[in-house]
């Protein structure tokens, strides 16, 4: 068994053309070129892929190569177990012969997976099919970099999927940096050097997942949120889970934003950015000051760009509700919707340009590298200690207690400041400008407490955990109601400044905003002190 260590990048055709002309690769000499055709085998229900296994047969100039890969816990897929050999059944070109399947079951992790599915070799051989594949031209260069030997592979071609209507295709354009000898750290450094000139977007979607999505008629999916951390979790593990999973998610949502215009993609992209900014707040003491400052600025810029599009989407959703309620307001809503849609188009163009830029690619690279450098003394790494896991566990629990204590304190203070405004709203009086600013601050404080409680309450002792979870639920409810108020109030302000005047729409939005505040007033009952 070997361990495949590689970084994968999604690149545009323009970037792919620029790769060969990069100074580093010109110094490396002419690339080796080959045409590769691969098929990925699975059962009709894709049971091997669901279990994290890849079974591939690749046709090369000298014959066929069989590869088994096991997807590990790494969200970016940068390190995973791999078994590879020349096909034993040479007559089965493009297929998987019985001797190769027996070897895969006997000598790789595939055997344990198949046993778990309750299949024997004969039944598996009968059920296996080439479900999807790839066909691409590969240019490869080899570089010595910081003590490691690294192969750069530029792949351009197509993903293939066999469906009821025959084989369908989708473009494939990737750059891979595979460590042939050495550790993964130099590959991160080489990627950062290339990313100063090239738009390289780190990708967590390997060829098998990309072709599998094509088979399902879908676009690649983002990974789910990592589960709650256990009491014995370490700071190093938390950093890996929070930063690397978010990096992988951002990469997928960015790709989806660039390939189609769906509201959900922008919303989820912004949600991940918000979680990242919150995690960075917690981890800042354990990261270098310069790294934190740079990451904060880059995350803020991406969040602002996505926020412009998301705000327009929320406003348009709200305006669509008006159309079914009041005739005069509906006519005015249609006019305002046209104005917002025009602005949204330019905002979306700016967001698409950013997620396809070298600048955004460097943000993903920085997040991925930070998540992989957790040892004391590593450049840009966290002040964690692999040799003292007990101390690292205490560090995480202390971080959780401190973050939850500070967020709880800020939320209670913001709640007290808003008590008068919410009481007035309950009596039918909208907030003035100063109270509106306080309510907005309470919405942000509620959001922060909810995120902190969701991620870290499980690290606390039982009694403190229950108090924080209760406070987190109350903050979540308040966040949603204040969010509804905020959306209606922003749109009311837009209608107030619009031409022609829109009195009916303004009145409807004022009532909507006030109703949301009245619900918030009911939610903000006296809360227990949620000390960690």
């Amino acid at each position: 068994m070997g361990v495949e260590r590689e970084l994968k990048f999604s690149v545009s055709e323009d970037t792919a053309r620029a790769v060969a002309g990069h100074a580093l690769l010109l110094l490396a000499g002419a690339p080796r070129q080959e045409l590769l055709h691969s098929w990925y085998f699975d059962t009709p229900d894709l049971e091997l892929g669901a279990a994290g296994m890849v079974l591939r047969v690749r046709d090369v100039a000298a014959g066929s190569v069989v590869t088994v890969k096991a997807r590990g816990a790494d969200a970016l897929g940068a390190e995973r177990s791999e078994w590879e050999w020349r096909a034993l059944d040479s007559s089965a070109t493009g297929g998987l012969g019985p001797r190769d399947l027996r070897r895969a079951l006997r000598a790789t992790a595939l055997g344990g997976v198949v046993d778990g599915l309750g299949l024997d070799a004969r039944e598996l051989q009968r059920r296996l099919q080439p479900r999807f594949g790839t066909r691409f031209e590969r240019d490869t260069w080899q570089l010595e970099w910081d003590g490691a030997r690294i192969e750069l592979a530029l792949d351009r071609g197509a993903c293939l999927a066999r469906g009821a209507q025959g084989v369908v295709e989708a473009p494939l354009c990737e750059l891979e940096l595979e460590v042939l000898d050495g550790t993964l750290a130099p590959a991160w450094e080489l990627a950062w050097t290339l990313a100063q000139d090239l738009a390289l977007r780190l990708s967590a979607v390997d060829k098998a997942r990309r072709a599998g999505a094509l088979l399902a008629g879908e676009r690649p999916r983002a990974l789910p949120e990592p589960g709650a951390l256990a009491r014995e979790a370490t700071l190093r593990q938390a950093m890996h889970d929070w930063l690397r999973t978010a990096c992988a998610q951002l990469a997928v949502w960015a790709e989806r934003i660039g390939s189609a215009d769906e509201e959900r993609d922008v919303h989820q992209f912004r949600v991940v950015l918000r979680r990242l900014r919150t995690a960075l707040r917690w981890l800042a003491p354990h990261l270098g000051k310069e790294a934190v400052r740079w990451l904060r600025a880059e995350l803020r810029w991406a969040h602002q760009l996505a926020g412009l599009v998301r705000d327009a989407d929320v406003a348009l959703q709200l305006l669509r509700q008006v159309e079914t309620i009041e005739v005069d307001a509906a006519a005015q809503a249609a006019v305002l919707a046209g104005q917002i849609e025009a602005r949204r188009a330019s905002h979306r163009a700016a967001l698409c340009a950013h997620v396809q830029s070298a600048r955004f690619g460097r943000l993903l690279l920085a997040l991925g590298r930070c998540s992989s450098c957790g040892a004391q003394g590593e450049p840009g790494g966290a002040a964690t200690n692999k040799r003292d896991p007990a101390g690292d566990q205490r560090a995480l629990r202390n971080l959780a207690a401190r973050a939850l204590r500070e967020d709880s304190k800020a939320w209670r203070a913001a709640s007290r400041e808003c008590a008068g405004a919410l009481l007035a709203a309950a009596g039918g009086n909208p907030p003035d400008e100063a109270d509106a600013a306080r309510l907005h601050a309470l919405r942000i404080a509620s959001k922060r407490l909810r995120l902190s409680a969701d991620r870290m309450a499980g690290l606390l002792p039982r009694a403190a955990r229950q108090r924080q979870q209760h406070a987190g639920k109350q903050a979540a409810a308040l966040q949603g109601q204040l969010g509804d108020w905020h959306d209606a109030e922003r749109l009311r302000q837009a209608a107030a400044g619009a031409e022609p005047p829109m009195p009916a729409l303004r009145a409807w939005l004022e009532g909507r905003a006030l109703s949301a505040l009245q619900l918030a007033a009911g939610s903000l009952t006296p809360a227990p002190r949620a000390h960690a």
Side-chain angles (χ1 to χ4, degrees), residues 401 404-405 408 412 460 463-465 467-468 528-532:
L404 285 163
R405 183 168 57 247
S408 295
R412 290 195 304 273
L460 304 179
R465 178 171 67 247
R467 289 195 299 270
Q468 288 291 357
R529 295 181 66 83
H531 286 307

Side-chain angles (χ1 to χ4, degrees), residues 385-404:
N385 193 341
K386 289 187 286 187
R387 297 182 180 179
D388 182 17
D392 210 17
Q393 290 171 2
R394 288 192 299 273
L396 178 60
R397 289 197 289 269
N398 290 339
L399 181 153
R402 183 175 63 253
L404 285 163

Side-chain angles (χ1 to χ4, degrees), residues 6-67:
E6 70 174 14
L7 303 178
K8 295 180 288 294
F9 300 89
S10 175
V11 298
S12 67
E13 284 291 344
D14 287 343
T15 299
R17 286 190 288 270
V19 166
H22 193 277
L24 281 177
L25 300 187
L26 291 174
L27 291 173
R32 178 167 58 90
Q33 298 179 319
E34 53 188 332
L35 178 64
L36 300 176
H37 191 178
S38 305
W39 284 106
Y40 294 82
F41 287 76
D42 209 328
T43 66
D45 296 328
L46 303 179
E47 293 164 288
L48 301 187
M53 300 300 301
V54 172
L55 177 56
R56 184 187 73 196
V57 176
R58 172 169 288 172
D59 292 337
V60 297
S64 296
V65 175
V66 179
T67 305

Side-chain angles (χ1 to χ4, degrees), residues 266 269-270 273-274 277 296-312 347-348 350-351 354 359 490:
V266 177
F269 180 77
R270 194 160 175 257
L273 287 169
R274 186 186 304 126
R277 295 176 74 185
R296 280 177 173 161
E298 292 303 306
L299 291 170
R300 185 185 307 115
W301 175 237
H303 196 262
Q304 289 172 346
L305 290 174
L308 292 172
V309 182
R310 178 60 184 166
D311 288 347
H347 294 156
R348 174 174 161 73
L351 177 59
H354 179 63
R359 178 178 180 177
R490 283 171 60 95

Side-chain angles (χ1 to χ4, degrees), residues 79-292:
E79 298 189 64
R80 56 183 178 176
S81 300
E82 179 183 63
W83 300 260
E84 190 167 271
W85 62 90
R86 291 283 181 184
L88 303 174
D89 295 297
S90 57
S91 61
T93 303
L96 183 70
R99 286 193 297 167
D100 288 308
L101 180 57
R102 285 196 296 271
R103 177 168 177 173
L105 293 174
R106 184 180 66 252
T108 79
L110 184 64
V113 170
V114 171
D115 287 344
L117 296 175
L119 301 175
D120 58 29
R122 183 173 300 177
E123 184 179 5
L124 181 63
Q125 181 81 61
R126 180 178 57 81
R127 297 186 63 194
L128 282 177
Q129 302 171 11
R131 301 307 310 276
F132 41 81
T134 55
R135 184 181 61 245
F136 54 89
E137 295 179 352
R138 167 169 285 182
D139 292 351
T140 57
W141 299 261
Q142 287 193 14
L143 293 175
E144 299 290 331
W145 193 266
D146 198 17
R149 186 161 57 94
I150 301 173
E151 181 178 83
L152 284 78
L154 177 63
D155 298 337
R156 286 176 285 185
C159 293
L160 316 169
R162 287 179 172 173
Q165 306 302 320
V167 177
V168 294
E169 299 188 6
L172 173 68
C173 196
E174 294 181 344
L175 180 69
E176 296 179 352
L177 274 63
E178 181 174 1
V179 179
L180 302 180
D181 185 20
T183 67
L184 194 59
W188 288 108
E189 297 298 335
L190 176 57
W192 186 256
T193 300
L194 293 170
Q196 306 312 301
D197 307 305
L198 302 170
L200 307 179
R201 188 167 62 210
L202 199 61
S203 177
V205 183
D206 58 25
K207 291 181 176 69
R209 284 182 59 195
R210 193 172 296 280
L214 178 64
L215 176 66
E218 302 172 346
R219 292 183 295 158
R221 295 182 179 182
L223 293 174
E225 272 295 284
L229 292 168
R231 280 276 294 165
E232 61 271 16
T234 64
L235 179 58
R236 186 182 183 88
Q237 179 188 342
M239 175 176 287
H240 183 279
D241 286 356
W242 293 338
L243 297 186
R244 185 160 291 202
T245 300
C247 177
Q249 292 170 331
L250 271 187
V252 172
W253 293 121
E255 178 179 332
R256 290 172 64 99
I257 287 170
S259 64
D261 187 358
E262 291 187 8
E263 293 179 6
R264 177 174 177 267
D265 296 341
V266 177
H267 173 58
Q268 292 299 328
F269 180 77
R270 194 160 175 257
V271 167
V272 177
L273 287 169
R274 186 186 304 126
R275 289 177 180 146
L276 262 173
R277 295 176 74 185
T278 299
L280 194 62
R281 202 162 46 86
W282 303 328
L283 296 171
H286 305 279
L287 293 168
K289 291 182 179 179
E290 290 300 319
V292 170

